[in-house]
């Protein structure tokens, strides 16, 4: 059909004495450029993104793909407390600004990660002793200064990261121990006061399916909503491992949060395996990636998927799980793996 139309239009142009080639060639060229994961996801009104980290910014080949293939990015470390407030009251947004500037230059959305987490805190904070009033003031200042700095540039904030244990009890962090569970509602309110447009998320791992940990978030978010606290999203990290099986009920779990009135995002997807990677394992990994993305596509309020960096060259896995790796859709040479093609297919590419 396209060919017939092109031929017809060429004939018409020729008859009219006009140059036919540019008119016919332009749409053909556009049609043949393969769609990126970001563009394909956009057709579903979702984003497909990748985390990144500042040391990778010296790798031109890496940056080229980061900037072209993905519609969203998350700084993997640059927005964490140790990086942004290395001394009490002294803020440094240099690293995070670098990521945000890159995202802006490549028309990418940015997820802000993370305002409160028990890891990667500066020594001045963990080594100090604080009264509840002092810690509350420190927390409020940290949240509001960071949110203000990125106002208008960050679409989501992971306001609190990893607040629960596996059994659904509160994690005994500095914040919980000093302030009690109310620190979560306070943090959400302080962030919302500063940026009314950024969507405020709670984010965790091992909450892919229905179980004690995701139940704890379900109960908490329901209560926060009932209390009028500005929680607007649930972030499912999605750090999976082939040896533990694909989590059950991913779509149903997303849907129950959507039904509570919050949006859902897959925030840190990666699927590791025991090395060496074999064709069989890579094929299973490809199916898992596709199934995970499919679950998000099936839930209207699942707004997008972020992989926790896109290449095995820069994955966090080998350093933390010795003997495991190959977790991302591109290999260490930045070549697409079966998972890349399976994601693309599910997105309609
Ligand atoms: O990708 C991050 C890695 O570079 C850091 O060394 C690590 C420190 O714990 O944190 C990684 O990102 C984590 C994220 O912030 C929260 N969810 C788990 C991620 C993997 O550890």
């Amino acid at each position: 059909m396209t060919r017939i139309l092109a031929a017809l239009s060429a004939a018409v142009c020729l008859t009219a004495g006009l140059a036919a080639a540019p008119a016919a060639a332009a749409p053909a060229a556009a049609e043949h450029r393969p769609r990126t994961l970001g563009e394909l996801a956009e057709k579903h009104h979702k984003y497909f993104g990748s985390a990144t980290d500042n040391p990778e910014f010296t790798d031109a080949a890496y940056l080229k793909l980061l900037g072209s293939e993905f519609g969203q990015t998350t700084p993997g470390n640059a927005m964490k407390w140790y990086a942004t407030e290395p001394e009490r009251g002294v803020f440094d947004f240099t690293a995070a600004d670098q990521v945000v500037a890159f995202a802006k230059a490549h028309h990418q959305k940015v997820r802000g990660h993370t305002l409160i987490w028990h890891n990667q805190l500066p020594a001045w904070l963990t080594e100090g002793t604080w009264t509840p009033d002092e810690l509350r003031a420190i927390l409020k200042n940290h949240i509001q200064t960071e949110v203000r700095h990125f106002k208008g540039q960050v679409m989501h904030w992971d306001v609190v990261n990893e607040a629960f244990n596996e059994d659904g009890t509160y994690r005994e962090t500095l914040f919980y121990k000093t302030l009690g569970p109310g620190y979560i509602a306070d943090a959400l309110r302080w962030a919302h006061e500063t940026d009314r447009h950024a969507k405020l998320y709670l984010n965790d791992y091992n909450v892919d399916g229905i179980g004690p940990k995701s139940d704890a978030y379900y109960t908490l978010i329901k209560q926060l909503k009932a209390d009028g606290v500005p929680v607007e999203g649930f972030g499912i990290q999605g750090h999976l491992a082939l040896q533990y099986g694909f989590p059950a009920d991913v779509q149903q779990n997303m849907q129950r949060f959507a039904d509570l009135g919050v949006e859902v995002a897959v925030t840190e997807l990666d699927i590791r395996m025991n090395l060496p990677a074999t064709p069989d394992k890579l094929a299973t990994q490809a199916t898992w990636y596709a199934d995970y993305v499919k679950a998000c596509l099936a839930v209207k309020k699942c707004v997008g998927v972020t992989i926790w960096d896109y290449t095995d060259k820069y994955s966090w896995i080998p350093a933390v799980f010795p003997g495991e790796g190959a977790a991302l859709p591109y290999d260490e040479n930045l070549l697409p793996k079966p998972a890349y093609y399976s994601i693309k297919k599910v997105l309609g590419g």
Side-chain angles (χ1 to χ4, degrees):
M1 182 65 178
T2 317
R3 271 202 209 129
I4 297 170
L5 282 179
L8 271 177
S9 102
V12 170
C13 288
L14 282 176
T15 324
L18 299 170
E31 267 165 34
H32 283 100
R33 187 174 67 75
R35 292 282 167 252
T36 67
L37 298 181
E39 287 167 344
L40 290 168
E42 234 176 83
K43 289 189 184 273
H44 301 271
H45 308 288
K46 305 193 193 277
Y47 60 80
F48 196 92
S50 169
T52 188
D53 206 2
N54 300 75
E56 300 156 24
F57 274 54
T58 55
D59 183 340
Y62 166 86
L63 280 187
K64 191 160 189 255
L65 271 173
L66 180 72
S68 58
E69 191 68 38
F70 301 96
Q72 178 272 333
T73 193
T74 306
N77 287 300
M79 290 184 174
K80 291 172 179 173
W81 202 320
Y82 80 101
T84 53
E85 194 183 359
E87 286 172 58
R88 186 174 178 183
V90 179
F91 288 83
D92 180 357
F93 296 113
T94 321
D97 284 344
Q98 187 184 22
V99 177
V100 171
F102 179 88
K104 199 171 184 182
H106 296 84
H107 313 289
Q108 294 172 324
K109 300 173 183 340
V110 178
R111 297 195 78 257
H113 174 81
T114 170
L115 297 171
I116 306 184
W117 191 27
H118 59 279
N119 273 335
Q120 294 178 288
L121 293 171
W124 66 263
L125 181 59
T126 52
E127 287 166 13
T129 43
W130 312 106
T131 65
D133 279 350
E134 284 168 338
L135 187 60
R136 202 171 282 115
I138 287 170
L139 209 50
K140 181 174 182 185
N141 186 49
H142 179 75
I143 290 171
Q144 296 202 323
T145 306
E146 182 156 0
V147 172
R148 191 176 309 119
H149 181 85
F150 292 109
K151 196 171 173 168
Q153 306 185 75
V154 160
M155 66 161 172
H156 299 164
W157 275 109
D158 288 334
V159 175
V160 183
N161 193 41
E162 303 175 5
F164 286 108
N165 295 312
E166 296 305 296
D167 64 0
T169 56
Y170 280 97
R171 195 189 281 271
E172 301 264 330
T173 66
L174 167 69
F175 311 107
Y176 180 79
K177 283 192 290 191
T178 315
L179 303 172
Y183 82 91
I184 296 176
D186 284 342
L188 290 160
R189 288 193 178 106
W190 292 327
H192 187 66
E193 249 173 56
T194 312
D195 185 347
R196 293 189 182 272
H197 298 296
K199 298 254 166 109
L200 305 182
Y201 273 67
L202 304 179
N203 188 51
D204 214 323
Y205 61 90
N206 281 351
V207 291
D208 314 86
I210 295 173
K213 199 174 184 181
S214 61
D215 285 350
Y217 278 99
Y218 186 82
T219 307
L220 173 64
I221 290 175
K222 196 171 182 184
Q223 189 60 51
L224 291 170
K225 290 282 241 185
D227 295 344
V229 177
V231 62
E232 292 161 275
F234 182 49
I236 302 177
Q237 293 183 8
H239 292 292
L240 308 186
L242 288 191
Q243 64 273 25
Y244 301 135
F246 191 81
D249 315 321
V250 174
Q251 188 187 323
Q252 291 92 319
N253 191 41
M254 288 176 177
Q255 190 59 56
R256 71 171 171 156
F257 282 93
D259 294 342
L260 273 186
V262 290
E263 55 181 50
V264 173
V266 181
T267 55
E268 306 184 12
L269 187 58
D270 54 18
I271 304 173
R272 63 187 189 269
M273 61 185 72
N274 288 316
L275 298 173
T278 61
D280 269 3
K281 288 185 211 170
L282 292 173
T284 307
Q285 179 189 52
T287 311
W288 286 27
Y289 266 108
D291 287 348
Y292 216 109
V293 173
K294 227 185 270 171
C296 180
L297 292 181
V299 176
K300 191 153 184 241
K301 289 183 87 132
C302 180
V303 294
V305 175
T306 309
I307 49 179
W308 206 236
D309 225 315
Y310 73 84
T311 156
D312 295 335
K313 189 173 182 182
Y314 297 123
S315 171
W316 65 292
I317 299 287
V320 176
F321 299 99
E324 298 180 45
L328 294 166
Y330 286 80
D331 71 12
E332 297 193 354
N333 300 312
L334 306 183
L335 293 173
K337 292 158 62 177
Y340 170 83
Y341 296 105
S342 68
I343 295 169
K344 204 159 200 181
K345 193 165 170 213
V346 162
L347 290 174

